[in-house]
Amino acid sequence: MNKMRKNDLFKSYRPKLLATSIAAVCTSMIATSVTQASDIDIYQQAKAGDITLMMMLDISTSMNGGGTARTDLGLTSTDCSGSNTSSSSLPNYGYSRTYCTVSSSQFNTLSTGNATNRAKAAKITQACNIQGNGSYFCGDRTARMKDAMYELLNGSVTKGIAQLDDTKVVGLSTFGVRTNDNYAEGAILLPARALGEMIGTQTHRQLLTQRVKGLNAITYTPTAYGYAEVINYIMGTRPDNNSLNRGFNNSDISTKTGTGTSQRYNMPGSLVQTNDTQECSGQGIYVLTDGVPNSKHALTQNNMRIGLGDTSFSCNTSNNWDCQHKGARALINKNNPLGLEVRTAVVGFGDLFETVTSFDRNKTQAENIAAIGGCTLNGGCDTDAKNAAHWGIVGGGGWYSGS
């Protein structure tokens, strides 16, 4: 087998193509890292290793409402009116969407208007779903996130999106999670398994699809704590969060092994790798968020230490971003119990991300951070959107606008 260089985990994102960009992750992790190999060799070699992705989804209340679509797309209430919820909007994926509506007449006005209005019409055709009467429903951030995940898993003939193949290993987590009347800091909803693996009478792909359909944005935004939860899952450790309202206790039983005080997360089997399979395997955390953390916890540092296997790891738990940035650096530098390079990528939903300079895979880390502006190489940035972008850059996966 030809040896494979480690390559950037994530390709660039363009509006409306979130599912396509995530799917491209799997190709770029393997295919573009091969040297002196034919196309056939590339795909043959890819079969020798695994691609493991943990999806980390923001289900905070700020992801909700037709107003988020207007704000993110630069539309007025005349352009896109109301905030309605329907389970029968197109495409019908089996769940409700909240959206604002661009009537067919208003879309015609915009598409035949001045340059500013034509630019609006172009955004609408990219980011909104056309209905049978010619109107467009522009989904809120939650709807767009769920559509992207659904299309990643199942494809879309209309949009020209191919589903991930059965060999890809994908898990699902959220930050936070709602249990009865309490808000937990994060949870692993489903373990990372091959999409084609049979679990009883269903494939893992079907189980993931069901979970995505049922997601509702009803929590706070405990970003750092949720990230620490995912790190502990990947490494097969147990975070220090024994309260009934904390992540480990609210994670699905299928993500755990052992009993009682010996119970811990069951590390994905794809991460048990030989030196040879490490050469043609890749693993990463893919975060989808509107980028404004609003829930910090003192346990975050300790949970990071447990997951990373480093008692000297230190971060400022009173800061919204310090723990994510430092945790991402540790993962990309293989400072973890598995000695694996784990990349972190961030997709940001919201108009604030439109003003942040796009990630460029051809630039160095320092150059990408400098291009954002208002950041320091080893510190933080002056806005939440920039800090979210910084997280993806130092995590080696990059950042992308999902608006």
Side-chain angles (χ1 to χ4, degrees), residues 18-324:
L18 177 57
T20 304
S21 74
I22 300 174
V25 168
C26 300
T27 301
S28 65
M29 286 171 67
I30 297 295
T32 61
S33 66
V34 179
T35 57
Q36 299 179 342
S38 67
D39 289 343
I40 293 175
D41 289 336
I42 287 170
Y43 292 106
Q44 287 176 337
Q45 290 181 37
K47 293 177 183 178
D50 288 308
I51 294 170
T52 303
L53 288 177
M54 276 304 299
M55 310 305 297
M56 183 176 157
L57 309 186
D58 184 343
I59 56 169
S60 62
T61 55
S62 58
M63 296 282 285
N64 287 338
T68 65
R70 283 189 290 271
T71 300
D72 295 348
L73 300 176
L75 304 175
T76 67
S77 57
T78 300
D79 298 327
C80 199
S81 61
S83 181
N84 302 304
T85 300
S86 171
S87 60
S88 59
S89 62
L90 299 177
N92 191 342
Y93 290 157
Y95 51 81
S96 296
R97 295 183 184 86
T98 298
Y99 55 86
C100 63
T101 304
V102 181
S103 67
S104 58
S105 59
Q106 180 63 18
F107 179 78
N108 183 63
T109 298
L110 293 173
S111 61
T112 57
N114 59 27
T116 299
N117 286 338
R118 292 197 303 274
K120 288 183 179 181
K123 281 189 175 182
I124 291 166
T125 56
Q126 288 178 324
C128 307
N129 293 318
I130 192 168
Q131 306 301 298
N133 62 0
S135 65
Y136 285 86
F137 288 176
C138 299
D140 64 4
R141 294 168 188 168
T142 300
R144 280 176 276 150
M145 180 178 69
K146 290 173 70 170
D147 283 353
M149 285 298 303
Y150 183 96
E151 291 160 2
L152 168 73
L153 294 168
N154 300 285
S156 169
V157 174
T158 302
K159 298 178 184 179
I161 298 170
Q163 67 178 26
L164 288 180
D165 71 61
D166 284 346
T167 65
K168 300 302 180 287
V169 178
V170 181
L172 182 65
S173 70
T174 60
F175 60 109
V177 60
R178 180 73 181 270
T179 59
N180 299 322
D181 293 327
N182 299 304
Y183 296 91
E185 284 80 356
I188 312 302
L189 302 187
L190 283 174
R193 299 183 179 120
L195 291 174
E197 182 176 339
M198 294 298 300
I199 312 299
T201 61
Q202 294 181 295
T203 64
H204 185 53
R205 184 193 305 275
Q206 291 172 317
L207 294 176
L208 282 167
T209 300
Q210 289 174 7
R211 283 286 191 158
V212 168
K213 286 182 177 182
L215 290 176
N216 292 304
I218 53 173
T219 73
Y220 303 124
T221 317
T223 313
Y225 203 99
Y227 190 47
E229 200 75 34
V230 172
I231 292 172
N232 274 270
Y233 167 67
I234 289 174
M235 300 301 160
T237 51
R238 177 174 181 147
D240 182 18
N241 57 11
N242 292 321
S243 166
L244 291 176
N245 300 326
R246 299 269 163 76
F248 182 81
N249 294 290
N250 289 300
S251 293
D252 193 84
I253 189 63
S254 63
T255 67
K256 305 170 191 176
T257 186
T259 59
T261 57
S262 297
Q263 191 177 49
R264 58 179 172 76
Y265 279 123
N266 191 12
M267 180 184 68
S270 57
L271 300 186
V272 180
Q273 300 173 7
T274 66
N275 289 337
D276 286 339
T277 55
Q278 280 190 37
E279 289 292 331
C280 41
S281 297
Q283 42 281 326
I285 301 169
Y286 207 110
V287 185
L288 284 73
T289 181
D290 65 4
V292 185
N294 64 5
S295 180
K296 300 180 285 291
H297 202 289
L299 281 177
T300 299
Q301 175 181 269
N302 193 48
N303 285 352
M304 287 277 193
R305 286 177 173 178
I306 294 170
L308 295 171
D310 181 2
T311 57
S312 67
F313 177 86
S314 177
C315 66
N316 182 0
T317 58
S318 65
N319 180 282
N320 272 334
W321 292 101
D322 191 54
C323 293
Q324 296 96 299

